Amino acid sequence: MLRCRRVRRAAFPHPLTLLTACILAAALASYVLPAGQYDRRDDPVTGRAIVVAGTFHHVERSPVGAFQALVAIPKGLGAAGSVVFLVFLVGGAFTVVDETGALRQGVTWLVRRLQARETLIIPIVSVTFATGGALENMSEEIIALVPVLLLVTRRLGFDAVTAVAISIGAAGVGAAFSPINPFQVQIAQKLAGIPLLSGSLFRLCVLAVALAGWIWGTWRHALRTRMIPAEREQDTATEIALDGRRMIVLVLVLATFGVFIYGIMELGWDFDQMSALFFAMGVLAGLIGGLGAGGTAQAFVTGFMSMAYAAMLIGFARAIFVVLDEGRIIDTIVHALVTPLQTLPVVMSALGMLIVQVAVHGPVPSVSGQAVLTMPVLVPMSDLIGLSRQVVVLAYQYGAGLTELLTPTNGALMAVTAAAGVKYGDWLAFAVPLFAALLAVSAMAIVVAISIGI
């Protein structure tokens, strides 16, 4: 009798393995691809150095050796230092809060109040984070919320992938389709020379469709994988009351997030100010929660240890760009991708721009950096072929923004998945089908925009 052998599925590479391979591949590409650059000029409208269309030229090769590629890793960590310190201090602060017991008691109270309406958490939280993404391109800031999100989703029976999807996933969708995101659509519209907020109604309609699709996919995954945890069953007999100390700690956490949002939206805070805020929160929470100075310090150390992996991923992701930049091949890649679009029909050229922006976002992980690199090249070309500049902005916005959901060079994504304990392969298994669907929505939106003359 014949027996069927079980086919063993190949394991997805560990994120550190994947990122190291990408760094070495980038170094190898510096030997294969010709070095080239665009001329750049300071743009008074955006305050950035932007490329000058039609000025691409080859320059002397600058191949990156194997050891130089490894040196790019500490350089990447240095370049991403502010984000790395934010990760460490946020992890330490929330470990302190967790050690006081306040978070667990607060989540237990919340779960009891929700009763049979737990699944409403998915659309409510998703819309909240999507709003943050639409307003200010929220990404690294989400790392601060991972511990709270995990506590809530686990107590409701949802897995860690759901926690990532309703946070950085939803924020990414909101940012990609936003009509007002200052780091994506607004900077692209400035570079394209079209009015800010133009086409907002169209973008809002597409955003509603895209976000609904993301929420549906997240909800479907959450319900299929949901398991009621044992502690939920144990808690049905006893009510855990919040005592005075832990209530004050929770109020402190909520107040911190209030200051956090105000600082970002009104004071223009960067990562250094955010780090200082959460460090202060952790110290106060530990002292109020009864941990004492020694207990608070030890909790911080434990938190630092738990977030070391997530912090390192950010530096490794940034190192890829460091290698490509030192190899002087980023402009070469962009030039090679953009040039063939000039010979295509208008609609195909617009859809080609969408695909090019997806491809470019791998080596250029910054959405604003991608705007100043690609928009000055694509806008003059669109004028020559009769394509609306607004459509060029849409192609950039959708292509670069959506790729944030997948690319390993997105340090915030890698840090959030690592902090949540989600394997990168598991995240891709969830996100890739939704990414493909949203990319199709983007393509249809571009075709509609051309047909209505937006």
Side-chain angles (χ1 to χ4, degrees):
M1 185 170 133
L2 296 174
R3 294 184 179 179
C4 296
R5 290 185 177 181
R6 180 180 296 177
V7 179
R8 185 177 180 181
R9 187 176 65 178
F12 196 87
H14 190 281
L16 278 180
T17 302
L18 178 63
L19 290 174
T20 302
C22 288
I23 293 170
L24 295 177
L28 179 61
S30 69
Y31 285 90
V32 177
L33 299 178
Q37 287 182 342
Y38 288 100
D39 292 338
R40 284 168 167 77
R41 64 177 177 83
D42 292 331
D43 181 40
V45 177
T46 61
R48 296 168 179 264
I50 65 174
V51 303
V52 179
T55 62
F56 178 81
H57 57 282
H58 293 292
V59 296
E60 185 180 353
R61 283 181 177 272
S62 179
V64 178
F67 185 71
Q68 189 179 353
L70 297 180
V71 172
I73 296 173
K75 285 184 177 180
L77 281 165
S82 294
V83 182
V84 170
F85 287 123
L86 174 67
V87 171
F88 276 123
L89 291 173
V90 163
F94 275 101
T95 300
V96 172
V97 174
D98 188 50
E99 287 293 324
T100 68
L103 278 179
R104 281 167 286 178
Q105 289 191 1
V107 170
T108 299
W109 178 88
L110 175 63
V111 169
R112 286 183 169 280
R113 295 305 177 272
L114 287 173
Q115 294 180 351
R117 300 185 296 276
E118 295 100 330
T119 53
L120 291 178
I121 283 289
I122 294 171
I124 291 172
V125 175
S126 295
V127 169
T128 301
F129 278 98
T131 301
L135 291 176
E136 57 96 16
N137 203 51
M138 177 181 282
S139 54
E140 284 89 353
E141 302 92 323
I142 296 171
I143 300 168
L145 306 174
V146 171
V148 178
L149 288 166
L150 285 177
L151 273 174
V152 173
T153 52
R154 284 171 178 167
R155 292 304 304 274
L156 295 175
F158 303 130
D159 65 359
V161 170
T162 302
V164 176
I166 62 177
S167 56
I168 198 167
V173 173
F177 293 91
S178 169
I180 59 176
N181 183 347
F183 298 97
Q184 290 190 31
V185 62
Q186 285 195 24
I187 191 172
Q189 287 180 328
K190 288 179 182 178
L191 292 168
I194 57 179
L196 297 182
L197 304 181
S198 57
S200 292
L201 180 59
F202 180 82
R203 284 183 171 83
L204 277 174
C205 293
V206 180
L207 171 59
V209 174
L211 184 56
W214 183 266
I215 291 173
W216 173 83
T218 303
W219 195 321
R220 183 169 176 265
H221 169 84
L223 293 181
R224 289 175 60 185
T225 59
R226 188 180 187 193
M227 295 180 63
I228 305 299
E231 57 262 33
R232 283 282 304 279
E233 298 175 359
Q234 295 172 2
D235 287 344
T236 56
T238 60
E239 177 78 23
I240 301 178
L242 283 167
D243 59 34
R245 277 190 170 186
R246 291 178 176 84
M247 181 67 77
I248 294 174
V249 171
L250 287 180
V251 170
L252 173 64
V253 172
L254 293 175
T256 300
F257 281 120
V259 176
F260 173 75
I261 294 170
Y262 179 78
I264 293 174
M265 301 297 292
E266 298 296 330
L267 304 179
W269 277 8
D270 206 340
F271 299 116
D272 292 339
Q273 289 82 8
M274 298 178 206
S275 298
L277 175 66
F278 282 104
F279 178 70
M281 181 198 77
V283 172
L284 290 175
L287 297 178
I288 294 170
L291 298 182
T296 301
Q298 184 57 50
F300 264 108
V301 171
T302 302
F304 296 158
M305 294 170 61
S306 68
M307 298 300 285
Y309 170 50
M312 290 298 294
L313 287 178
I314 295 173
F316 272 71
R318 188 67 64 89
I320 299 171
F321 178 79
V322 171
V323 171
L324 292 172
D325 186 51
E326 291 182 350
R328 305 170 81 176
I329 58 174
I330 291 179
D331 289 6
T332 300
I333 294 171
V334 172
H335 179 70
L337 290 172
V338 168
T339 301
L341 299 179
Q342 302 177 63
T343 60
L344 298 176
V346 172
V347 173
M348 295 303 297
S349 180
L351 295 178
M353 288 181 186
L354 175 65
I355 302 304
V356 165
Q357 296 290 5
V358 169
V360 169
H361 197 62
V364 185
S366 165
V367 287
S368 56
Q370 183 165 339
V372 300
L373 176 61
T374 61
M375 293 302 296
V377 176
L378 292 174
V379 167
M381 188 186 78
S382 70
D383 292 341
L384 290 175
I385 64 176
L387 180 64
S388 165
R389 293 186 176 191
Q390 194 74 259
V391 174
V392 179
V393 174
L394 288 175
Y396 150 74
Q397 185 182 359
Y398 297 159
L402 283 176
T403 311
E404 287 273 272
L405 297 171
L406 301 181
T407 177
T409 55
N410 180 358
L413 173 66
M414 301 303 286
V416 168
T417 53
V422 174
K423 294 179 180 179
Y424 182 57
D426 292 341
W427 171 250
L428 289 183
F430 164 81
V432 166
L434 290 177
F435 168 82
L438 294 183
L439 198 62
V441 169
S442 302
M444 288 186 286
I446 287 173
V447 172
V448 171
I450 294 173
S451 65
I452 65 177
I454 190 172

